[in-house]
Amino acid sequence: MTELKPGVTDLMDAIPRSGPLDNPCAACAVRDMSVCGALKGNEIGRLNAIAVRTNVGAGETLFLEGDAADHIYVVIDGCIKIYKMLPDGRRQITGFLYQSDMVGLAFRQRYAFSADAVSNTLLCRFPREGLEKLLDEFPEMERRLLSISSNELASAQDQMLLLGQKTAAEKVATFLWLLSRRAELKGADPHKILLPMMRSDIGDYLGLTIETVSRTMTQFRKRGLISFTSSSLFQIEDPAGLAEVGSVDESWEASVALIG
Amino acid sequence: MTELKPGVTDLMDAIPRSGPLDNPCAACAVRDMSVCGALKGNEIGRLNAIAVRTNVGAGETLFLEGDAADHIYVVIDGCIKIYKMLPDGRRQITGFLYQSDMVGLAFRQRYAFSADAVSNTLLCRFPREGLEKLLDEFPEMERRLLSISSNELASAQDQMLLLGQKTAAEKVATFLWLLSRRAELKGADPHKILLPMMRSDIGDYLGLTIETVSRTMTQFRKRGLISFTSSSLFQIEDPAGLAEVGSVDESWEASVALIG
DNA sequence: CGGGACTTTGAGCAAATTCAACCATTGTGG
DNA sequence: CCACAATGGTTGAATTTGCTCAAAGTCCCG
């Protein structure tokens, strides 16, 4: 895990910006989608003063369950998995976090879960203490945080419904459908799905073994619902069919985090 | 579902208080444990002005998923279950809420889940709009809400670990152990467990069928971990053994909601 | 080109569900 | 006050879904 002074490395340069070099937050790609968006114009400098960009390589650990919860992160680019483990090694991945998602948000002394990078990930790191001070100062920011955690709670409930009630086929179909919705929301092609995580991650997220995930996917391929280019890249051939198989509720708001 | 003017009915009178009759919030039994505790002295009158006490009979519905989210509730006494359903009737109970817990906290237009009373329940109801105005005025209240939803998120993650990874025996043992911890926290005997919900509720909470819940409990009885007085009242005979069977993590903070 | 990590596929197995019958408790009407 | 229907809970046997164990296949990277 490497730390970067803002505006120095290759990865940094991959992030589009137009503002002054000494205030990268002002031009951050994810600013409007995250808590940061609550601060406007000149206020954003306050955030920038406590922000540190951090790069985490694929498979590296950001923090472990039980570590002192000193920092809060925002994913700038890449993918993070958060998970809890049982003493014997069983693992439940409780979420995959992407661009603009927050990691480590917990008003407790210690993290209640671990976080690893799925792929190379660039994050913005804030000391908890400093961020809390800003919250005192800017109630708009606090309101936004409340809205974010309320959305997270809603998708946690969706995930409980999936884990507790859905069959293997429904679980996998729901997972793929959700990835498609996320791509759509980001303005990408919702039919081309790139899976940055491996089968064991998908299994531990859905409460299934890797074998069941694999078998279910080939079954979907044989049924013409999807087709794969490689094991981590595929095409959704029948979105409606996938939603049907997944018993997905399309009636209203998307469960992928929307910032209100 | 009946509404009560504060300080009128039998149930109301069952709540201990000492303050003036026209300001029941000031003397509410759960005040210090809930958001309400953020307001002190004279401020509490503001909350009282928008609060309405509501009584919901066992089995009655408080609201349904998709209803306009006009109100937020605090459980004064009794038990509420919140749940989501699939089109074919499968149901996942995502939580049981007890004294001082909040129900319906969602910064969205519509409730993302349904809520039914498990037993006769007394609640305090606030219009969402009015409560949000108070939040603007009293940041301390907003901070408290943030802390509450952060705790809820943590226990949602515990529940995902349970649903996705634990065996039937572990699930049931964890459930009983958690009830015991809750009783302890409330100052009650942690070995006497009263189950206000029926087997189908427990099953839908743990992602198991009623038969499996029942079989697992009799197995626990035969192993000497518990003993029952009736089907809804029993005694924990071997707390350590129960925690062991449940693969419960006792290392730090309780996952039952603690208000920070 | 070789080796390691990840994925797929297959066969047998086991945990939990389904289906079915029976038991216990409660409340109601004759 | 008892009969009996209704609701909820327990127990048993058969079935099924998803898991375990095992082997082979694929991809990537040095």
Side-chain angles (χ1 to χ4, degrees):
Chain A
M1 191 164 109
T2 53
E3 286 181 18
L4 322 160
K5 282 216 185 97
V8 185
T9 58
D10 306 337
L11 251 164
M12 263 302 301
D13 292 334
I15 307 302
R17 63 176 135 67
S18 55
L21 267 173
D22 60 336
N23 191 359
C25 282
C28 178
V30 305
R31 176 180 168 192
D32 293 331
M33 296 147 75
S34 187
V35 254
C36 320
L39 301 183
K40 42 208 157 311
N42 45 339
E43 297 168 359
I44 200 83
R46 298 289 306 283
L47 199 62
N48 193 60
I50 60 168
V52 175
R53 291 267 165 109
T54 305
N55 189 39
V56 187
E60 284 182 3
T61 297
L62 194 57
F63 55 78
L64 289 173
E65 182 176 350
D67 283 356
D70 297 330
H71 296 96
I72 287 167
Y73 303 81
V74 173
V75 178
I76 309 287
D77 194 44
C79 180
I80 294 284
K81 62 188 175 207
I82 59 177
Y83 59 93
K84 291 182 76 99
M85 292 196 46
L86 291 171
D88 67 357
R90 279 173 291 171
R91 180 182 65 157
Q92 179 64 36
I93 291 181
T94 57
F96 292 109
L97 303 174
Y98 308 88
Q99 205 170 84
S100 91
D101 289 334
M102 300 196 72
V103 195
L105 188 54
F107 286 76
R108 295 179 168 211
Q109 230 36 52
R110 304 187 167 278
Y111 294 118
F113 48 84
S114 306
D116 286 3
V118 168
S119 48
N120 278 8
T121 303
L122 181 65
L123 302 116
C124 199
R125 193 185 79 189
F126 304 96
R128 192 165 74 121
E129 209 182 309
L131 199 67
E132 282 182 8
K133 264 186 207 129
L134 280 183
L135 290 185
D136 289 334
E137 235 174 297
F138 303 103
E140 180 53 40
M141 209 170 164
E142 195 154 40
R143 179 63 61 92
R144 195 133 174 178
L145 221 48
L146 203 49
S147 158
I148 289 172
S149 69
S150 160
N151 280 326
E152 277 181 34
L153 212 45
S155 51
Q157 287 171 337
D158 285 337
Q159 191 66 2
M160 289 190 236
L161 178 65
L162 178 145
L163 290 170
Q165 304 300 330
K166 291 191 176 182
T167 64
E170 288 173 317
K171 285 175 175 181
V172 175
T174 302
F175 178 66
L176 297 177
W177 184 85
L178 237 39
L179 285 174
S180 174
R181 294 303 307 270
R182 172 175 292 278
E184 192 178 32
L185 214 73
K186 274 181 63 179
D189 180 353
H191 300 124
K192 267 197 158 23
I193 302 294
L194 179 69
L195 292 174
M197 69 291 288
M198 46 195 203
R199 296 290 183 271
S200 64
D201 289 337
I202 299 174
D204 287 350
Y205 180 60
L206 300 175
L208 298 172
T209 59
I210 44 178
E211 294 95 330
T212 301
V213 171
S214 180
R215 275 187 257 271
T216 306
M217 283 180 170
T218 53
Q219 187 202 322
F220 285 177
R221 182 168 49 73
K222 284 178 184 164
R223 285 213 262 163
L225 295 171
I226 59 175
S227 65
F228 7 137
T229 309
S230 82
S231 75
S232 66
L233 176 67
F234 42 111
Q235 185 90 14
I236 296 183
E237 302 293 349
D238 181 358
L242 204 62
E244 169 87 17
V245 171
S247 302
V248 167
D249 182 12
E250 303 186 67
S251 57
W252 62 81
E253 302 139 271
S255 53
V256 282
L258 292 166
I259 308 302
Chain B
M1 192 164 108
T2 53
E3 287 180 19
L4 322 161
K5 282 216 186 97
V8 185
T9 57
D10 305 339
L11 251 164
M12 261 304 299
D13 291 335
I15 307 301
R17 65 177 134 65
S18 55
L21 266 173
D22 60 340
N23 190 1
C25 283
C28 178
V30 305
R31 175 179 168 191
D32 292 332
M33 296 147 74
S34 187
V35 253
C36 319
L39 302 182
K40 43 210 154 316
N42 45 340
E43 298 168 357
I44 201 82
R46 298 289 306 283
L47 198 61
N48 193 59
I50 60 168
V52 175
R53 291 267 165 108
T54 305
N55 189 39
V56 187
E60 285 183 1
T61 297
L62 194 55
F63 55 77
L64 289 173
E65 183 176 350
D67 284 357
D70 297 330
H71 296 95
I72 287 166
Y73 303 81
V74 174
V75 178
I76 309 286
D77 195 44
C79 180
I80 294 285
K81 61 188 173 207
I82 60 177
Y83 59 94
K84 290 181 77 96
M85 292 196 45
L86 291 172
D88 67 356
R90 279 173 290 170
R91 180 182 66 159
Q92 179 64 37
I93 292 181
T94 57
F96 292 109
L97 303 175
Y98 309 88
Q99 207 170 83
S100 90
D101 289 334
M102 301 196 70
V103 196
L105 189 53
F107 285 78
R108 295 178 168 211
Q109 229 39 49
R110 303 185 167 281
Y111 293 118
F113 49 83
S114 306
D116 287 3
V118 169
S119 49
N120 278 6
T121 302
L122 181 65
L123 302 117
C124 200
R125 192 186 79 189
F126 305 96
R128 192 166 74 120
E129 210 183 309
L131 198 68
E132 282 183 7
K133 265 188 206 124
L134 280 183
L135 290 186
D136 290 333
E137 236 175 297
F138 302 104
E140 180 52 41
M141 209 170 164
E142 195 154 40
R143 179 63 62 93
R144 194 131 174 180
L145 220 48
L146 203 50
S147 157
I148 289 172
S149 67
S150 158
N151 280 326
E152 277 182 34
L153 213 44
S155 52
Q157 288 170 337
D158 285 337
Q159 191 66 2
M160 288 189 236
L161 179 65
L162 178 146
L163 291 170
Q165 304 299 330
K166 292 190 176 181
T167 64
E170 288 173 317
K171 286 175 174 180
V172 174
T174 302
F175 177 67
L176 297 177
W177 183 84
L178 237 38
L179 285 174
S180 174
R181 294 304 305 271
R182 171 174 295 278
E184 192 178 32
L185 214 73
K186 274 180 63 178
D189 180 352
H191 299 125
K192 266 196 158 26
I193 303 293
L194 179 69
L195 292 173
M197 69 291 290
M198 46 194 204
R199 296 291 184 270
S200 63
D201 288 337
I202 299 174
D204 287 350
Y205 180 62
L206 300 176
L208 298 172
T209 59
I210 44 178
E211 293 95 330
T212 302
V213 171
S214 180
R215 275 188 257 271
T216 305
M217 283 181 168
T218 54
Q219 186 202 322
F220 285 176
R221 182 168 48 74
K222 284 176 185 166
R223 284 213 262 164
L225 295 171
I226 58 175
S227 65
F228 14 131
T229 310
S230 81
S231 73
S232 65
L233 177 67
F234 43 112
Q235 186 87 15
I236 296 183
E237 301 293 349
D238 181 359
L242 205 61
E244 169 88 17
V245 171
S247 301
V248 168
D249 182 11
E250 304 186 66
S251 56
W252 60 81
E253 303 139 272
S255 53
V256 283
L258 292 166
I259 308 303

